[in-house]
Amino acid sequence: MSESQVLSLAIEEICTQHHGQVSPLLPILHDVQSRCGYIADEAVQIIAARLNLTRAEVGGVVSFYTDFKTQPAAGRVIKICRAEACQANGGRQVWEAAWAAAEGTVEIEAVYCLGNCACGPSAQIDGQTLGRLDQQQIVSLVNALAKGDDL
Amino acid sequence: MKLFVSTDSSSLSIGAQAVIDSLSDAARRRNIPVDLVRTGSRGLFWLEPMIEYEHQGQRLAFGPVTPVEVPNILDALVTGNRQHPLNLGPVEELFKTQGQQRVNFRRCGEIAPTSWSDYLATGGSRGLLRALQIGPAAVIETVTRSGLRGRGGAGFPTGVKWRTTWHAAGATKYIVGNADEGDSGTFADRMLMEGDPLSLIEGMVIAGFAVGAEQGYIYLRSEYPHAQQTLQAAIDVAYTNALLGNNILASGQHFDLQIRIGAGAYICGEETALLESLEGKRGTVRYKPPLPAVHGVFGKPTVVNNVITLATVPAILAEGAEAYAAIGHDTSRGTLTVQLCGNIRHPGLYELPFGCTLGHVVESLGGGSASGRPIRAVQVGGPLGAYFPTTLFDTPLDYEAFAERSGMIGHGGIVVFDDTVDMAEQARLAMGFCALESCGKCTPCRIGAVRGVEVIERILTGCSSERERNLLLLRDLCQTMLDGSLCALGGLTPYPVLSALNHFPEDFARVAERPAS
């Protein structure tokens, strides 16, 4: 089976899992994003056909929400908080240090609040929140991700 | 030996798991059987990770604990000689000294979050039983009399909202728990969902019974995967114990509950955008009226309440409206869950009666800045809240008092900045955030925020002769956004911008040396 056939089957399967659910589009897109790492044009087509929506409707939802990506990530993803509470504690420096260390090997995403404001500056990797980060720590995290190490 | 360690996502983010590992290891080496209970957090984050133990009916704590200290603490507990530099004494005493009055967070940190027996032992389900006894009309009347107002930010009287949905025509109605806690500096919803999720579920069941709804949704932001796990486990426990399902506490009442996960859009915290998102659409804001209470999700009457609001309801029903209304100040009744963070020595969650002053919270409870430098500004109420200088520290925590000073309490977040903060940069950040998160439906927000960033940049980098003109333009733009935006995002972004401009004008004048960015 070709790669695109595998993808199609996976997406069909996800749609089937959500069959009968009320307003299933966001849950389906979350599953596709987590399974494939991004939501390809082919995925949009299949989902639209299955939910009896237009491609524009599905594409519009994909483009609205920052969680849904239309391209694969450059590497493993680290989300770094850029909101006020983290900034008050050196979040800007953490952000800059992360970018300097990543050099395109790790995908750095800005998030606006991880709800870890009393323990900032904060970042999140694979759903795990990390707190009280400084420049040195973020650099070693980024380096570990770039090398593919487990945290 | 029964020990308690918080494993909410914040405690985990600063090493709670390493403390637990060290504890298990030390206990095994000493051959001490330890019964470890994973709880939510007390919210005293400068003392986390904490280890708690029970002694003569009281909960006592050690903190902040590092893995290295764990064996010593275990020895202190075993020998009974609890003299240890990290011994904090009874947790209740700490709360009392701080003036905390815990209604919402009374179980948080105390119990295993998804334990049904712990929940019942601490008064769980009493509110719902009372509600089933007195009937929908009396429930709504009780919530109204308690003076409870929406804790999500808008402060709308909860009883009035419920009554509207109760009266709305239609057999199908919905309860929506707004857990899209996107405001920077706020984490009360997350803590509650990770520490006492059953109280939220009970609150939603009561709301459903009161207005005649049999289906509920919790719209949870995707940034909270840990809360999602705890909440889902709690929903399962609730079904097992008939807190949810088709025969609630043997009353014949029916209520189902599902979690829906957001997808990283701040605007979905706005109730009508949330409803659009729940329907599987782009999270764009709806025109009001019709109100969601009448025409909500899938066009049906819908109560949309914040997590804390809903979780307060069981306590109000169980203890009575008067008991809740007796706490607080003026038209702000009950408690406010203050979330104190940013550059502050004692960051955390403080559940306080309305009415104490901002200065008391920041200086007495917070202990001043973490950096040791003078505090210059605090932002109250999230990214759309005003920046207050220390000269406004006498403002009482009260919805109206903040509104009078062109600020807002919002969801209760307070972010502290020391004197290194550049307020012009904060103003630009506010406009930039609005531009990034605008849903695009109304022009003042969609275009205004983009122009706002540009004007602020011109003020900061342009020649001084044009500065006055640009400042005037910025104020004019803010007025347009205030008056003309469809929802609070565009309508409140001028708060941080104008407050920075009004209270800290000098930061907009230091121009020449600032490099363009």
Side-chain angles (χ1 to χ4, degrees), chain B residues 369-389:
Chain B
S369 73
S371 61
R373 302 181 64 94
I375 290 172
R376 182 149 184 253
V378 297
Q379 187 179 29
V380 184
L384 310 177
Y387 286 97
F388 276 20

Side-chain angles (χ1 to χ4, degrees), chain A residues 22-23 25-26 30 60 63-67 83-85 88-89 92 112-118 124 127 129 131-132, chain B residues 10 13 45 184-185 187 190 221-223 225 260 262-264 277-279 281-283 298 341-342 347 379 416 426 436:
Chain A
V22 177
S23 65
L25 181 54
L26 259 69
H30 271 302
S63 69
F64 185 85
Y65 296 97
T66 43
D67 282 3
E84 289 84 347
N89 268 337
R92 285 179 211 267
Y112 288 83
C113 200
L114 294 164
N116 197 40
C117 319
Q124 199 177 61
T129 305
R132 291 188 193 155
Chain B
S10 271
S13 85
F45 285 111
S184 164
F187 44 87
R190 179 188 61 69
R221 63 200 300 256
S222 62
E223 291 84 348
R260 284 301 176 98
S277 183
L278 206 52
E279 292 180 7
K281 301 176 192 157
R282 292 163 68 90
F298 311 119
C341 53
Q379 187 179 29
V416 180
Q426 295 310 115
L436 192 69

Side-chain angles (χ1 to χ4, degrees), chain A residues 117-129:
Chain A
C117 319
C119 303
S122 309
Q124 199 177 61
I125 300 169
D126 297 334
Q128 193 193 341
T129 305

Side-chain angles (χ1 to χ4, degrees), chain A residues 84, chain B residues 153 183-186 266 336-341 354 356-359 361-362 377-390 392-393 395-399 401-403 405-417 423 492 495-496 499 504:
Chain A
E84 289 84 347
Chain B
D183 284 355
S184 164
T186 66
Y266 174 77
L336 176 67
T337 47
V338 171
Q339 300 130 77
L340 184 61
C341 53
F354 279 101
C356 62
T357 64
L358 179 60
V361 172
V362 173
V378 297
Q379 187 179 29
V380 184
L384 310 177
Y387 286 97
F388 276 20
T390 52
L392 293 180
F393 270 14
T395 316
L397 293 176
D398 160 322
Y399 291 108
F402 267 76
R405 293 182 167 185
S406 301
M408 62 162 190
I409 284 189
H411 186 43
I414 300 179
V415 181
V416 180
F417 295 83
M423 294 307 296
L492 295 179
Y495 273 48
S499 60
F504 308 95

Side-chain angles (χ1 to χ4, degrees), chain B residues 395-477:
Chain B
T395 316
L397 293 176
D398 160 322
Y399 291 108
E400 277 66 38
F402 267 76
E404 269 167 34
R405 293 182 167 185
S406 301
M408 62 162 190
I409 284 189
H411 186 43
I414 300 179
V415 181
V416 180
F417 295 83
D418 72 8
D419 64 351
T420 59
V421 68
D422 177 345
M423 294 307 296
E425 195 51 54
Q426 295 310 115
R428 174 161 63 176
L429 176 78
M431 277 292 186
F433 182 69
C434 182
L436 192 69
E437 297 294 343
S438 175
C439 81
K441 180 126 169 180
C442 73
T443 317
C445 174
R446 183 185 68 244
I447 308 286
V450 177
R451 295 289 172 262
V453 174
E454 292 167 1
V455 175
I456 293 174
E457 278 173 4
R458 279 208 299 278
I459 292 168
L460 300 181
T461 57
C463 66
S464 56
S465 61
E466 289 201 337
R467 188 182 311 140
E468 286 309 314
R469 266 183 52 213
N470 281 324
L471 284 170
L472 203 64
L473 190 60
L474 179 61
R475 286 185 182 277
D476 189 53
L477 179 68

Side-chain angles (χ1 to χ4, degrees), chain B residues 308-374:
Chain B
I308 301 293
T309 315
L310 289 162
T312 312
V313 170
I316 291 172
L317 266 300
E319 310 300 331
E322 287 68 27
Y324 192 74
I327 312 170
H329 174 86
D330 239 12
T331 50
S332 303
R333 310 311 309 179
T335 57
L336 176 67
T337 47
V338 171
Q339 300 130 77
L340 184 61
C341 53
N343 197 329
I344 190 85
R345 273 182 68 200
H346 300 154
L349 180 132
Y350 300 86
E351 187 169 350
L352 301 167
F354 279 101
C356 62
T357 64
L358 179 60
H360 171 74
V361 172
V362 173
E363 285 167 341
S364 310
L365 300 179
S369 73
S371 61
R373 302 181 64 94

Side-chain angles (χ1 to χ4, degrees), chain B residues 46-220:
Chain B
W46 73 104
L47 299 174
E48 291 282 9
M50 274 161 60
I51 295 179
E52 291 185 30
Y53 62 102
E54 258 170 352
H55 181 64
Q56 296 177 342
Q58 266 189 322
R59 285 279 284 276
L60 294 93
F62 291 92
V65 178
T66 54
V68 183
E69 282 294 333
V70 169
N72 291 334
I73 289 171
L74 200 59
D75 290 338
L77 283 170
V78 170
T79 57
N81 173 19
R82 301 193 180 89
Q83 298 298 319
H84 189 280
L86 297 181
N87 191 340
L88 301 167
V91 178
E92 282 301 325
E93 283 302 314
L94 288 173
F95 288 162
K96 207 185 278 178
T97 322
Q98 293 161 350
Q100 292 210 48
Q101 223 165 326
R102 293 209 156 197
V103 178
N104 287 124
F105 283 84
R106 65 194 183 285
R107 291 192 197 92
C108 206
E110 188 81 24
I111 65 166
T114 58
S115 156
W116 183 246
S117 56
D118 279 11
Y119 189 64
L120 289 185
T122 47
S125 85
R126 274 180 48 216
L128 175 58
L129 286 169
R130 177 79 188 140
L132 294 167
Q133 212 172 49
I134 62 178
V139 171
I140 293 173
E141 202 265 331
T142 304
V143 172
T144 309
R145 251 186 320 124
S146 76
L148 178 65
R149 297 168 67 171
R151 296 286 187 257
F156 189 80
T158 308
V160 175
K161 195 181 256 189
W162 288 20
R163 178 166 297 127
T164 311
T165 303
W166 186 46
H167 285 310
T172 309
K173 298 176 184 180
Y174 295 99
I175 308 294
V176 173
N178 184 347
D180 197 45
E181 184 178 50
D183 284 355
S184 164
T186 66
F187 44 87
D189 295 351
R190 179 188 61 69
M191 271 183 62
L192 188 109
M193 291 183 287
E194 292 178 359
D196 183 18
L198 288 163
S199 69
L200 166 63
I201 297 170
E202 187 182 343
M204 292 185 75
V205 177
I206 295 173
F209 173 66
V211 306
E214 297 193 331
Q215 175 70 51
Y217 293 102
I218 295 173
Y219 188 90
L220 177 67

